[in-house]
Structures are given as C-alpha cells and as structure tokens.
Amino acid sequence: MYVSNRVQPWPSKYPHSVRGSWVAKRLATPMVTCDLKQILMAVKAILVVAHFSRIRGIRKPSLTGEIASCRSRMLSVRRASLNIDSGPARHLARNGLSMSNDDILTRSETLTSGRHDGLTGQFDVPGDKSISHRSFILGGLAIGTTRVTGLLEGDDVMATGRAMQALGAGIIRDSDGSWTITGVSTAGLVSPEAPLDLGNSGTGVRLLMGVVAGLPITATFCGDESLSRRPMARVTDPLELMGAKITARDGGRLPVTITGARTPLAADHASKVASAQIKSAVLLAGLNARGTSVVREPHASRDHTESMLRHFGANVRQQVEADGTHVVELEGEAMLAASDVVVPRDPSSAAFPMVAALITEGSDMLIPGIGMNPLRTGLITTCLLYTSDAADDMQCVDLGGRRII
C-alpha cells in the first residue's frame, strides 16, 4: 500500500505541543466514532514509531521533550483525576462523548515534537497473527507438507506451534525463515503426554480446544495467570453439546481438560456474540463430524478460519441473512489437503505507520503486502474517506487464500 500526504498537513490551528486533552479535542469531531482511550494510546505509539522504529529507508523525525521516555510510560501510564468542568471534558460532553480518568493524560505526559520532514521509504510490518495461528493448526490437520512463509514468530503463535507438535504434527523452521509443517490429518493427532501450555494465547487455546473436542484424544490446556482468568465457557459449552467431555474450573476457566468425541455431533450453534474464536472452535470440532455444522452469529466476525479452511480443501459456505445474521456452514468428515500459505502482513500493525504518514506533510510511504480481508480494513476504509492520494496505488492480489494490498 502506498500512502502519500503531500497535500494536507496537520491543521495549523492545533499546536505542535500535543497534550492528551488537545488530541482528544481533535479526535472528538463527529467524522469518525472511535474508542478514545485506544486513539490516545495509538497517537503516543505513532510518535514512538516515528522516532524509534527500524524503518528501512525512512527518514526519522527529530522529536524533542519527553518522547525519549514515552516507551516506558506507555507500559505504566499515570492518569490524572477527571474534572468534569475542565475544557476537554466539557468539549466532549457537547459532542455527545465522555471521558473517564483512564482517558486523560497528565501534564507530566505532555509530548512535544518539532517540525520535521515527511516519512519516506518502505515500512515492512510483521505477519498477520490470526493467520499465523491458523497456519500451524490447519497445516497440522492436513495430509501432506505445507510450507508457510511470512509467519509471525511471536510468543502466542509459537505457543500454538508447540501445542500442535505435542499433538503429533511435524513443525520445522527452515534456514530461510519459512516453516515446514508435516500434517498428519485429523486421524493422526494423538493425546499429548503433558498439558498444553498456551502461555497468554487466547486464540491458540480456544481454537485448539475445538480441534481436540472433535477427535478421540484427551488434552489438558493451561496458560499463564492472565489466560487462566479468562472465561472459556462460551467455547466449551457448544463443544460439550457436540459430544466432548470437559472439566474445568468455574466459568470454564483454565486448566481445562477435554476428551474429544470419537464421532462428534454436527453443531447447530447460535452464538450470542459475534466471535471469531467461538465460531472457529465449533468449526474445527465439526471437521470430523457427520453432517453439516452450522454457526450463526449476530453479525460477521473475522472470517480467517472460513477462508483458510476453504484454502485447505474444506467445503465452507457463508451467507448474510436479511437481518444481518452471519451464517457459516461446514460439511463434516472433511479431508484437508496440504497447501502452502503466504501469510500477509498484519493490518493492525500497519495502522501506526499508515496514520503517521497521513498526518505528516510530505510523506511518501510504501507498506507492502498488507492483508485486505474486508473484515479487517475498517481503518483503511475510513482513511480513504478523507484522502484520495492513498487510494491511487492500491493493488489487490490473492496469496494463500488471503487478499492483500
């Protein structure tokens, strides 16, 4: 994706000394409805990215003031007491918004920047996390050898990879940075000798619960303190209805032990919330079921699992009903065939350099290979409403079942 801002600079009426209140005021205009706390943190991250990131060929701006300590303060943000009569809070109230203590930055967190040249060059962001998880899982469930390039090698994804190895899949990192996965099919997975420790990976643990629930194997899932506090009942409840035997702490919390069904029942699950993790767990359990598993959700959630299941040969259908309900159908007793995957780069990670370029006059930045799943491009769509330059060089291709730009 090519991002250019040679036309519209940051409005001159806003000072270059950027306080949280001024940022909130700027972003409180009715153009876009966003989560204020996330925006404030994103703006801080943009300043850090612009100064500290190792960007190939990009001229980094010279930032002054307290920017040097911004990294550490992002991890431990000091908050000020909210004064509802204060200027920014009153301004937001007039626009139908509100501020909490967590939304306001103190004076000690004032970030000051000076004028600088635009950001130019190429920014290579890491691979998509969601697709990386699913590459390990579906590659292991397929028959044959799958080669994965562009995989995100973060802790969460690596935890999923180790869990698939413990379940019987062969996973090797090649010298060129690609990964080779030797799939054993659903019939070849085995009960692991030790609990599967997913660390802090909520995606990994929930998707793998679905895998185990649809097979005649037993596995215990555990994680770190944070993951162990998260409720899993929304995932485990529909899996029990498919025939799995599950024991867990109150609320379905980890550790969770699942003994999968030898012949799982096809699901007909209506989810109360639109959740890609719930939907994915049910679909993965349904791979080995007789009949067609159906998942209904109030509106479409990320459909990485559906797209990649089709890429590996499963018969998956999706439709949106008149009331907006998203319906996914998967034909059971599926035989997945190995298929290489090129993991596109993560659109969430691309948001920071993209916005930094759009708000910096004179910027010309190339961000190649970004995933263009329509359910992940909200920021790009929003930005295109306010700038035409970024749209000129967008080109979509299909690599490994994913649309990228």
Side-chain angles (χ1 to χ4, degrees):
M1 179 175 63
Y2 173 72
V3 182
S4 175
N5 183 5
R6 291 195 176 277
V7 180
Q8 306 212 6
W10 182 266
S12 58
K13 65 180 179 178
Y14 290 98
H16 289 280
S17 178
V18 184
R19 290 190 179 90
S21 59
W22 283 101
V23 174
K25 183 174 181 180
R26 167 63 179 164
L27 296 175
T29 57
M31 291 191 299
V32 185
T33 301
C34 300
D35 183 272
L36 182 58
K37 182 176 179 181
Q38 292 180 356
I39 291 176
L40 292 176
M41 294 303 294
V43 170
K44 295 182 72 177
I46 287 169
L47 294 176
V48 175
V49 166
H51 187 65
F52 291 105
S53 291
R54 298 177 180 177
I55 307 173
R56 187 172 71 199
I58 290 183
R59 299 194 304 274
K60 308 176 189 62
S62 175
L63 303 181
T64 61
E66 298 182 19
I67 188 65
S69 61
C70 182
R71 266 181 165 175
S72 60
R73 293 207 310 279
M74 286 179 67
L75 301 177
S76 179
V77 179
R78 299 184 299 277
R79 302 295 180 182
S81 297
L82 174 64
N83 180 2
I84 193 62
D85 295 325
S86 65
R90 189 166 58 249
H91 175 88
L92 289 173
R94 286 199 301 268
N95 285 274
L97 302 173
S98 62
M99 261 187 167
S100 69
N101 291 348
D102 288 341
D103 294 326
I104 294 185
L105 304 178
T106 67
R107 286 182 178 273
S108 64
E109 292 189 285
T110 299
L111 307 178
T112 304
S113 66
R115 291 185 179 278
H116 54 79
D117 295 334
L119 304 175
T120 61
Q122 179 170 313
F123 197 117
D124 295 327
V125 300
D128 188 283
K129 183 177 179 180
S130 297
I131 296 175
S132 295
H133 278 294
R134 290 159 174 81
S135 296
F136 274 150
I137 293 173
L138 295 177
L141 290 173
I143 299 174
T145 301
T146 294
R147 184 172 182 267
V148 180
T149 56
L151 187 97
L152 175 64
E153 298 182 2
D155 290 345
D156 288 0
V157 175
M158 292 299 100
T160 297
R162 288 191 295 271
M164 285 302 298
Q165 285 178 318
L167 289 167
I171 299 177
I172 299 175
R173 188 182 191 277
D174 300 321
S175 58
D176 62 356
S178 64
W179 291 79
T180 298
I181 305 171
T182 303
V184 293
S185 81
T186 56
L189 294 188
V190 297
S191 300
E193 297 180 356
L196 300 178
D197 187 351
L198 274 298
N200 192 43
S201 178
T203 298
V205 72
R206 292 183 175 102
L207 268 59
L208 287 170
M209 284 180 178
V211 171
V212 172
L215 302 173
I217 60 176
T218 299
T220 297
F221 297 87
C222 62
D224 65 11
E225 183 179 354
S226 173
L227 188 61
S228 298
R229 289 196 298 266
R230 301 183 210 174
M232 301 289 169
R234 284 181 174 173
V235 172
T236 57
D237 287 352
L239 295 181
E240 283 188 304
L241 294 177
M242 298 178 74
K245 296 181 179 178
I246 301 175
T247 58
R249 292 192 297 136
D250 292 343
R253 291 176 173 83
L254 301 180
V256 172
T257 298
I258 298 179
T259 298
R262 181 169 297 279
T263 305
L265 302 173
D268 189 352
H269 178 66
S271 181
K272 295 180 180 179
V273 296
S275 167
Q277 294 181 356
I278 297 173
K279 174 178 60 180
S280 298
V282 173
L283 293 176
L284 290 170
L287 283 173
N288 206 35
R290 292 179 180 174
T292 300
S293 290
V294 181
V295 180
R296 296 177 175 84
E297 49 185 356
H299 55 84
S301 61
R302 296 180 178 184
D303 63 351
H304 301 298
T305 299
E306 296 97 303
S307 296
M308 294 190 70
L309 280 169
R310 279 192 288 266
H311 180 65
F312 281 88
N315 191 345
V316 182
R317 297 179 293 275
Q318 295 172 252
Q319 65 177 359
V320 178
E321 298 183 341
D323 62 355
T325 300
H326 182 225
V327 181
V328 183
E329 298 179 347
L330 167 72
E331 289 190 10
E333 297 181 302
M335 296 289 287
L336 302 185
S339 186
D340 293 348
V341 177
V342 178
V343 178
R345 291 172 176 168
D346 188 67
S348 299
S349 298
F352 298 102
M354 183 175 69
V355 173
L358 288 174
I359 65 175
T360 306
E361 185 178 10
S363 293
D364 284 290
M365 184 184 294
L366 178 65
I367 313 174
I370 306 303
M372 276 297 284
N373 184 314
L375 296 171
R376 295 286 302 279
T377 56
L379 175 62
I380 295 174
T381 302
T382 301
C383 289
L384 290 177
L385 294 175
Y386 302 104
T387 175
S388 60
D389 294 337
D392 293 341
D393 290 284
M394 283 192 175
Q395 295 182 344
C396 297
V397 297
D398 188 278
L399 293 176
R402 312 301 309 160
R403 282 171 59 83
I404 67 171
I405 59 172

